[in-house]
């Protein structure tokens, strides 16, 4: 590029050198006269262009109106992002600057405060007006906003059409596994399943598949990957969202995923800094406190973030956790109680540790500021100001906008912050710094307001090629941790199976998978029973009498279950072969008496749900199907089934008497 730029200049210079000294002097004089006449001219290129910049502008800036800038207007800015960024920072009003620093959600909306807000699947004109009027720079989409490919594609087009000048950053949490917002997208087995494969190529493929589908739908930011090192068996919010309990593995898998995702043009956001893997509290509901010493943090949580930054990750997201070893500051909560300062609000953690020590120059997003770890302790205006002063660039969901009353609250937030920017030069400087980083990221990474065609979206999202790869991921992840000769179960022997689960949906899905296999091979007799923690199934004794093998499916056990013990005891006393399938958390096997079961298997995810909306639950049939294809076999057609290759990406410590401890890397094969 530089060579192409300098070649014509070098030719001109060579011609100048061929002139006589007298002619060269005359040429210089003419140029000086021309320059003087131009500098004395009162002609203006654009009457509303900023008066001064850090360097002379050599690009043509679009007209400074509030309408969306077109691709043709954006392309010159993409060519010279530094100059364009400085021009915009100098031009925008304080209100317009604040808008670029906010990411609002579009989950629900009602034109009347008296009516219940409904999911936004088509952008109302009233909400489009809010986006443009307040110069909002970023938006986040949730499961409620996503129905199918055509609807999501059109919604994102509508969002970009409502923007104020620059393209919007449109984000979502499409992590794979338990957190997947898009029902039409290719299911991914999840980070811990990828960790169980130990395959960096599969991690990169997961990122690339996700990126291609998001890009086709019009998204340009993915809040992934999770790079937290999950070392706490009772962690209620990370768990299988983590790749591993081993920092090196997390770092390597995350780096591969980031490369695959950003290869498609979608910005990756590594989360949650400084680490959310050693908590027993969910920051959606309270403020967790990280118990590490600084040395422990450096040994565990530091490496994955360091590697993500070195690999060129576009952005990081902060965690609403307190880490006293990193910042011992305490502040007064709005209730008057003293609390440790959350990392999201800590200049020591964000500016000193992340910016200066780890050399992160990309964007920093806050986690959602509507989470109770924040809202229980701080008022909206205070928390937004603290977030910006801490060094965060984009405040995610600073307040919920559900109806016109909420828009009034948004207006008040702007008014208050505008006044403080005038009276507080430090806040003004921080806003400008964040704005520069946001605009430069949009221009340097060529964030486009246009996605590919709807036909392209239909051909990419959930396509057969992607599903083929993710099926291989799920199969490779299946991990057998115990097997006393019962696995694989040979369908040719027509075994009588009993499926026991705490979830009706799990039982139905598992039964349907077995029936599909039976139709291809030999019909299997399968019964299903649902159990709960407060009731022993009345039909259990009768079902056990008709059963040979019990398949007991467990979900997210974080404490001993007396009912689970009773079921295992009943089946053991009836001399039935017992296979335990940990469908979501591998830590569930820590609550099973090892000597009473014949086999145990882990698949790292069988349902997906949104922690901020527990009502949104559906099956990850991908992993459950891989499990059934590994539990069963047909001696005459073994190629249709799967043989286990996964290894535990975490250490599982026994939590009840008789349970086993299983080391990181443990995994059995079939003979």
């Amino acid at each position: 590029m530089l060579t192409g730029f300098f070649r014509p200049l070098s030719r001109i210079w060579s011609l100048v050198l061929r002139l006589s000294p007298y002619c060269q002097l005359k040429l210089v004089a003419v140029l000086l006269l021309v320059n003087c006449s131009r500098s004395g001219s009162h002609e203006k290129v654009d009457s509303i262009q900023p008066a001064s910049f850090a360097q002379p502008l050599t690009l043509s800036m679009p007209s400074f109106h509030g309408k969306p800038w077109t691709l043709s207007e954006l392309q010159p800015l993409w060519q010279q992002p530094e100059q364009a960024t400085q021009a915009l920072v100098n031009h925008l009003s304080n209100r317009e600057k604040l808008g670029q620093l906010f990411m609002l959600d579009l989950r629900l909306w009602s034109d009347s405060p008296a009516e219940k807000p409904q999911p936004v699947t088509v952008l109302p004109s009233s909400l489009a007006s809010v986006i443009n009027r307040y110069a909002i720079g970023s938006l986040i989409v949730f499961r409620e906003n996503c129905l199918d490919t055509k609807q999501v594609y059109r919604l994102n087009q509508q969002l970009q059409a409502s923007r104020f000048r620059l393209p919007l950053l449109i984000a979502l949490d499409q992590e794979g596994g338990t957190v997947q917002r898009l029902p039409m997208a290719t299911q991914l087995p999840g980070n811990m399943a990828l960790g169980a494969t130990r395959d960096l190529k599969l991690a990169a493929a997961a990122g690339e598949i996700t990126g291609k589908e998001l890009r086709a739908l019009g998204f340009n930011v993915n809040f992934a990957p999770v790079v937290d090192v999950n070392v706490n068996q009772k962690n209620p919010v990370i768990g299988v969202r983590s790749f591993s309990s081993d920092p090196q593995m997390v770092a390597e898998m995350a780096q591969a995923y980031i490369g695959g995702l950003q290869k498609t043009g979608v910005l990756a956001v590594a989360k949650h800094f400084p680490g959310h893997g050693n908590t027993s509290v969910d920051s959606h509901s309270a403020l967790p406190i990280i118990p590490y010493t600084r040395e422990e943090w450096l040994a565990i949580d530091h490496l994955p973030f360091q590697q993500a930054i070195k690999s060129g990750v576009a952005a990081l997201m902060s965690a609403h956790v307190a880490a006293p070893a990193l910042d011992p500051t305490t502040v007064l909560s709005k209730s008057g109680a003293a609390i440790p300062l959350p990392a999201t609000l800590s200049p020591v953690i964000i500016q000193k540790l992340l910016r200066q020590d780890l050399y992160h120059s990309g964007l920093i997003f806050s986690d959602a500021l509507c989470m109770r770890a924040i809202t229980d302790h701080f008022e909206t205006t205070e928390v937004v100001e603290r977030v910006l002063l801490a060094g965060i660039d984009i405040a995610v969901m600073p307040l919920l906008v559900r109806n016109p009353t909420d828009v009034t609250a948004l207006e008040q937030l702007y008014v208050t912050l505008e006044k403080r920017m005038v009276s507080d030069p430090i806040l003004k400087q921080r806003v400008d710094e964040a704005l520069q980083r946001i605009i430069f990221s949009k221009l340097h990474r060529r964030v486009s307001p246009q996605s590919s065609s709807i036909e392209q979206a239909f051909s990419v999202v959930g396509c057969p090629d992607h599903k083929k790869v993710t099926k291989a991921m799920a199969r490779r992840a299946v991990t057998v941790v115990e097997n006393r000769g019962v696995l694989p179960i040979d369908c040719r022997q027509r075994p009588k199976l009993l499926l026991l689960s705490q979830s009706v949906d799990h039982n139905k899905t598992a039964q349907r998978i077995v029936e599909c296999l039976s139709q291809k091979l030999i019909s299997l007799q399968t019964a299903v029973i649902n159990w709960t923690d407060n009731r022993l199934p009345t039909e259990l004794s009768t079902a056990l009498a008709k059963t040979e093998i019990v398949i007991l499916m467990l979900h997210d056990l974080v404490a001993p279950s007396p009912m689970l013990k009773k079921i295992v005891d009943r089946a053991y006393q009836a001399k039935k072969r017992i296979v335990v399938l940990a469908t979501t958390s591998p830590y569930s096997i820590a609550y099973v008496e090892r000597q009473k079961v014949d086999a145990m298997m882990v698949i790292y995810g069988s349902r997906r749900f949104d922690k901020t909306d527990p009502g949104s639950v559906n099956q990850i049939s991908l992993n459950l199907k891989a499990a059934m294809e590994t539990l069963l076999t047909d001696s005459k057609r073994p190629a249709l089934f799967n043989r286990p290759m996964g290894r535990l990406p975490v250490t599982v410590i026994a939590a009840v008497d008789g349970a086993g401890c299983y080391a990181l890397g443990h995994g059995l094969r079939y003979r």
Side-chain angles (χ1 to χ4, degrees):
M1 179 178 175
L2 289 175
T3 303
F5 176 79
F6 283 114
R7 187 177 291 118
L9 292 179
S10 63
R11 290 175 181 171
I12 293 170
W13 183 245
S14 64
L15 290 173
V16 171
L17 290 177
R18 293 177 188 176
L19 297 173
S20 67
Y22 175 78
C23 291
Q24 290 177 9
L25 286 171
K26 287 191 69 174
L27 178 60
V28 169
V30 169
L31 291 174
L32 287 172
L33 286 171
V34 170
N35 185 61
C36 290
S37 64
R38 283 185 177 176
S39 63
S41 172
H42 296 286
E43 180 183 355
K44 294 182 181 179
V45 177
D46 189 332
S47 60
I48 55 174
Q49 191 163 321
S52 62
F53 302 96
Q55 53 184 316
L57 277 178
T58 60
L59 77 163
S60 175
M61 290 294 293
S63 176
F64 283 108
H65 51 65
K67 296 178 182 178
W69 282 342
T70 64
L71 274 181
S72 60
E73 289 176 308
L74 286 168
Q75 283 169 351
L77 313 187
W78 290 345
Q79 297 294 330
Q80 299 186 61
E82 296 92 345
Q83 287 185 325
T85 296
Q86 190 60 52
L88 281 167
V89 171
N90 287 347
H91 170 80
L92 294 181
S93 68
N94 285 345
R95 170 161 292 226
E96 292 163 348
K97 290 178 180 181
L98 288 171
Q100 288 294 312
L101 274 57
F102 292 157
M103 173 175 276
L104 299 186
D105 76 296
L106 299 171
R107 181 173 270 167
L108 306 167
W109 175 256
S110 170
D111 281 328
S112 170
E115 297 177 358
K116 181 179 180 181
Q118 298 299 314
V120 176
T121 55
V122 176
L123 186 65
S125 58
S126 52
L127 194 50
S129 175
V130 171
I131 294 169
N132 186 273
R133 190 166 74 251
Y134 287 93
I136 300 300
S138 306
L139 298 168
I140 180 170
V141 170
F142 285 92
R143 174 65 184 85
E144 294 93 326
N145 308 117
C146 304
L147 301 177
D148 55 46
T149 298
K150 183 178 181 180
Q151 174 269 321
V152 172
Y153 177 89
R154 288 188 172 179
L155 176 62
N156 283 339
Q157 294 282 75
Q158 292 168 347
L159 295 177
Q160 289 290 6
S162 73
R163 71 190 184 275
F164 179 87
R165 298 180 186 161
L166 287 167
L168 291 166
L169 295 179
I170 305 180
L172 78 172
D173 297 273
Q174 188 72 0
E175 298 174 11
T178 60
V179 180
Q180 302 186 65
R181 306 296 194 217
L182 300 172
M184 81 295 290
T186 302
Q187 283 189 6
L188 283 126
N191 284 351
M192 195 167 284
L194 289 169
T197 71
R198 302 297 200 280
D199 192 326
L200 298 181
K201 291 181 179 179
L202 288 181
E208 187 170 355
I209 287 170
T210 302
K212 285 180 177 178
E213 298 194 6
L214 294 185
R215 186 71 182 267
L217 289 168
F219 295 100
N220 46 43
V221 175
N222 189 17
F223 287 139
V226 171
V227 300
D228 302 312
V229 182
N230 199 84
V231 297
N232 190 324
Q233 289 193 179
K234 295 186 177 182
N235 194 322
V237 65
I238 303 301
V240 294
R241 296 167 65 194
S242 167
F243 288 107
S244 174
S245 60
D246 174 46
Q248 185 66 42
M249 189 190 305
V250 173
E252 292 174 358
M253 299 296 285
Q255 190 170 358
Y257 180 97
I258 290 166
L261 181 65
Q262 295 195 160
K263 177 181 179 181
T264 69
V266 174
L267 280 61
V269 183
K271 59 187 185 184
H272 308 80
F273 189 82
H276 210 316
N278 188 14
T279 65
S280 56
V281 173
D282 183 349
S283 52
H284 290 91
S285 56
L287 177 62
I289 299 177
I290 304 299
Y292 289 142
T293 64
R294 188 177 183 86
E295 291 70 27
E296 289 171 330
W297 179 83
L298 286 169
I300 299 171
D301 284 340
H302 174 265
L303 180 64
F305 290 105
Q306 181 185 53
Q307 289 299 103
I309 292 166
K310 286 183 177 180
S311 69
V313 69
L316 265 67
M317 175 180 280
S318 67
H320 300 328
V321 299
L326 303 180
D327 183 358
T329 303
T330 59
V331 293
L332 288 180
S333 168
K334 63 184 181 182
S335 67
I339 63 165
L341 185 64
T344 299
L345 312 184
S346 167
V348 173
I349 291 176
I350 302 301
Q351 291 197 54
K352 174 65 171 64
L353 187 56
L354 183 51
R355 286 286 186 215
Q356 297 175 23
D357 296 352
L358 285 173
Y359 302 106
H360 176 59
S361 59
L363 292 173
I364 302 177
F365 292 81
S366 74
D367 205 343
L369 296 175
C370 60
M371 293 161 62
R372 289 188 60 186
I374 298 297
T375 59
D376 281 356
H377 305 291
F378 304 96
E379 299 294 349
T380 299
T381 303
E382 179 191 3
V383 79
V384 173
E385 186 173 359
R386 280 183 175 273
V387 159
L388 297 177
L389 289 172
I392 299 290
D393 298 315
I394 297 180
V396 178
M397 298 170 65
L399 74 175
L400 300 181
V401 179
R402 300 287 187 258
N403 56 47
T405 301
D406 295 334
V407 177
T408 302
L410 179 65
E411 170 68 24
Q412 187 57 50
L413 176 63
Y414 272 75
V415 169
T416 303
L417 290 174
E418 286 177 273
K419 290 179 180 177
R420 294 192 182 177
M421 286 173 66
V422 173
S423 62
D424 185 352
I426 296 178
L427 178 61
K428 175 69 165 60
Q429 180 184 350
R430 266 296 306 133
V431 168
D432 282 354
E433 288 173 359
L435 181 68
Q436 283 184 322
R437 201 171 282 114
I438 293 165
I439 294 176
F440 181 76
S441 293
K442 288 183 176 184
L443 298 180
H444 175 65
R445 294 183 180 273
R446 302 193 174 200
V447 173
S448 174
Q450 292 187 2
S451 53
S452 53
S453 66
I454 185 64
E455 291 77 18
Q456 174 72 4
F458 277 122
S459 69
V460 170
V461 179
C463 68
D465 286 347
H466 289 177
K467 290 180 179 179
K468 183 178 179 181
V469 176
T470 58
K471 177 182 178 180
M473 293 175 185
R475 282 186 156 206
R476 287 275 302 277
V478 176
T479 306
V480 174
V481 295
E482 289 284 356
N483 187 18
R484 298 189 178 91
V486 67
L487 300 180
I489 302 165
D490 193 345
C491 296
R492 291 279 159 181
Q493 297 179 8
R494 297 180 181 273
K496 296 176 182 178
L497 306 178
L498 173 62
L499 298 175
L500 279 162
S501 174
Q502 292 169 286
S503 165
V504 174
D505 288 337
H506 272 67
N507 265 338
K508 288 180 178 178
T509 303
Q511 188 176 30
R512 186 170 60 251
I513 292 168
V514 172
E515 288 172 353
C516 288
L517 291 171
S518 297
Q519 290 172 5
K520 295 178 182 178
L521 304 164
I522 297 172
S523 180
L524 297 176
Q525 183 177 334
T526 307
V528 297
I529 292 180
N530 301 305
W531 64 280
T532 64
D533 282 330
N534 53 18
R535 184 182 69 85
L536 189 69
T538 55
E539 66 271 37
L540 180 60
S541 297
T542 303
L544 285 173
K546 301 176 182 179
T547 297
E548 295 174 74
I549 301 175
V550 175
I551 300 176
L552 180 57
M553 292 185 280
L554 306 179
H555 305 305
D556 290 315
L557 291 182
V558 294
S561 169
M563 199 57 62
L564 171 63
K565 177 173 172 51
K566 287 182 181 180
I567 291 172
V568 171
D569 287 345
R570 287 281 186 94
Y572 181 74
Q573 290 163 7
K575 296 183 169 29
K576 305 301 176 182
R577 308 209 75 175
I578 305 171
V579 177
V580 171
L581 175 59
T583 58
T584 300
S585 171
Y587 302 115
S588 294
I589 63 176
Y591 301 94
V592 180
E593 294 178 77
R594 179 179 186 177
Q595 69 274 18
K596 291 184 179 179
V597 301
D598 298 281
M600 285 197 282
M601 179 183 288
V602 178
I603 60 171
Y604 312 101
S606 57
R607 63 178 180 174
R608 56 186 184 181
F609 64 99
D610 180 350
K611 279 284 184 183
T612 60
D613 178 22
S616 176
V617 179
N618 48 61
Q619 300 299 304
I620 307 175
S621 56
L622 174 76
N623 290 355
L624 206 52
K625 188 172 187 292
M628 293 301 164
E629 291 172 345
T630 310
L631 286 170
L632 304 173
T633 192
D634 185 323
S635 56
K636 293 190 176 180
R637 301 182 68 184
L640 293 176
F641 294 86
N642 182 50
R643 300 184 71 81
M645 296 180 64
R647 292 185 289 155
L648 283 175
V650 296
T651 296
V652 179
I653 301 171
V656 296
D657 291 341
C661 293
Y662 302 94
L664 175 80
H666 175 71
L668 304 178
R669 305 287 181 268
Y670 292 160
R671 294 178 181 176

